[in-house]
Amino acid sequence: GLRPWMQMKKSRQLYLLLLIPLAYIILFCYVPMYGATLAFKEFNPAAGILGSSWVGLKHFARFFNSPSCWSVIKNTFVLSALNLIISLPFPIILAISLNECKNRLINKTVQMVTYAPYFISTVIMVALLMQWSSINGGLFNNILGLFGGDPVNLFGDAKYFRPVYILSNIWQFTGFNSIIYLAALSSVDVSMYEAAKVDGASKLQKIWFIDLPSILPTIIILLILNAGQIMNLGFDKVYLMQNQLNVQVSEIIATYTYKVGLLDLDFSYSTAIGLLNSVVNVILLFSVNLFSRKISENSLW
């Protein structure tokens, strides 16, 4: 009975190190969860969260009956799903290309150039996009003009919002997201490449039959995790790119809850929307994990 305690005592330094992240998770992830009860209450600042009166599912019904409900859900799901599907192959292709490149200088240069955008602030990123797409002297419209095209207002037309958002995400995150695939490729048994070379396999055949199957479990796990976050589209970039001309496609759950919660001070209503969003994400996570387990041998659990 004392054996586990003896083992813990022997590794006490490791357990002490574990206390720091554990305390962080409890303090910042679990303790604030009692605030989710606001979704079922009519918040009164004077009474506080615990003292506010219960109203049941009133705020959920209000959201589903609001004119913005389905357009906000649709915008969030479509933008996030398109971003996930379209951007998925790019880090994989980059990782495989870097793995195949034997020139160290070119390899390191490409890595530096592709990783750099990830470390640019979102505010600066959107400011750059606005400058480059400006009708008056913007880089994009100048290039378009060289080929005889008319200027295009990328931020002033709703149909361009999603392509601009997704393409800028690909530019910003492809390099950084390729790191995990490079790590997976580095663990591939070298003897497999040597055997393929002896058998006369081409470079494309080595990629198709060795590289892709080796990183497939990593791809599936990341896809499941990202699918579980499909309704948790980032707030900052969308909000910075949003204006009155594209709001019909750029109004997502994150920006909507910000407006009703912090700008309109309707905390209970915004909490209800946020809680509903989290429940949808959990359902998606379990569904995608179950689907993955049925069609393949890879899943989170």
Side-chain angles (χ1 to χ4, degrees):
L2 294 174
R3 192 173 177 182
W5 291 105
M6 294 295 290
Q7 290 176 342
M8 288 179 69
K9 186 179 179 181
K10 188 178 178 181
S11 307
R12 60 185 178 277
Q13 293 91 346
L14 295 175
Y15 284 102
L16 285 171
L17 284 173
L18 183 65
L19 284 176
I20 299 170
L22 190 63
Y24 174 85
I25 291 169
I26 292 170
L27 190 61
F28 293 101
C29 297
Y30 283 92
V31 172
M33 283 177 70
Y34 87 98
T37 55
L38 271 180
F40 308 97
K41 293 186 171 190
E42 195 66 62
F43 181 59
N44 181 353
I49 295 174
L50 297 177
S52 298
S53 58
W54 293 91
V55 292
L57 301 175
K58 172 187 170 183
H59 300 299
F60 295 95
R62 178 184 162 193
F63 177 59
F64 284 118
N65 291 325
S66 71
S68 307
C69 172
W70 298 112
S71 65
V72 166
I73 292 173
K74 177 192 168 186
N75 289 342
T76 307
F77 183 81
V78 170
L79 184 58
S80 189
L82 286 174
N83 182 55
L84 175 60
I85 294 165
I86 295 171
S87 62
L88 179 67
F90 289 92
I92 299 169
I93 293 168
L94 178 62
I96 291 172
S97 302
L98 290 172
N99 189 58
E100 289 295 322
C101 180
K102 304 306 176 188
N103 188 308
R104 189 175 177 82
L105 179 62
I106 293 174
N107 204 311
K108 294 298 179 185
T109 304
V110 171
Q111 284 186 45
M112 184 184 69
V113 171
T114 54
Y115 294 173
Y118 177 81
F119 300 99
I120 298 175
S121 161
T122 305
V123 177
I124 296 171
M125 173 67 69
V126 175
L128 286 171
L129 291 174
M130 287 180 174
Q131 274 200 325
W132 292 342
S133 62
S134 173
I135 293 179
N136 302 315
L139 178 65
F140 176 78
N141 282 306
N142 282 345
I143 294 171
L144 204 62
L146 291 174
F147 293 94
D150 296 323
V152 176
N153 188 0
L154 295 178
F155 279 80
D157 194 330
K159 68 182 180 183
Y160 295 120
F161 176 82
R162 286 170 184 156
V164 170
Y165 179 89
I166 293 166
L167 289 172
S168 63
N169 259 21
I170 290 170
W171 172 54
Q172 190 174 8
F173 295 107
T174 294
F176 187 81
N177 289 341
S178 68
I179 293 173
I180 193 165
Y181 297 115
L182 276 170
L185 286 168
S186 67
S187 64
V188 177
D189 191 352
V190 180
S191 63
M192 294 175 70
Y193 292 116
E194 292 171 352
K197 189 176 181 180
V198 170
D199 290 341
S202 66
K203 191 161 285 189
L204 283 176
Q205 286 174 323
K206 283 192 283 185
I207 290 169
W208 186 259
F209 292 107
I210 299 175
D211 290 341
L212 285 176
S214 299
I215 63 173
L216 186 60
T218 306
I219 294 171
I220 291 173
I221 294 300
L222 290 176
L223 187 61
I224 293 169
L225 290 171
N226 288 328
Q229 293 290 317
I230 206 165
M231 298 298 285
N232 265 2
L233 199 62
F235 159 80
D236 46 1
K237 191 173 182 181
V238 175
Y239 187 71
L240 290 166
M241 291 176 65
Q242 189 180 92
N243 56 54
Q244 290 303 315
L245 299 172
N246 62 27
V247 72
Q248 63 264 39
V249 295
S250 64
E251 188 75 292
I252 61 171
I253 289 174
T255 58
Y256 183 69
T257 52
Y258 167 74
K259 290 171 184 175
V260 298
L262 292 179
L263 299 186
D264 296 342
L265 302 178
D266 200 341
F267 300 116
S268 295
Y269 182 48
S270 61
T271 303
I273 300 169
L275 184 60
L276 179 68
N277 190 39
S278 299
V279 170
V280 172
N281 279 328
V282 170
I283 293 169
L284 283 170
L285 179 64
F286 275 86
S287 302
V288 174
N289 188 72
L290 180 64
F291 179 73
S292 175
R293 195 167 68 239
K294 283 189 178 293
I295 65 167
S296 71
E297 297 178 357
N298 301 297
S299 62
L300 283 175
W301 62 86

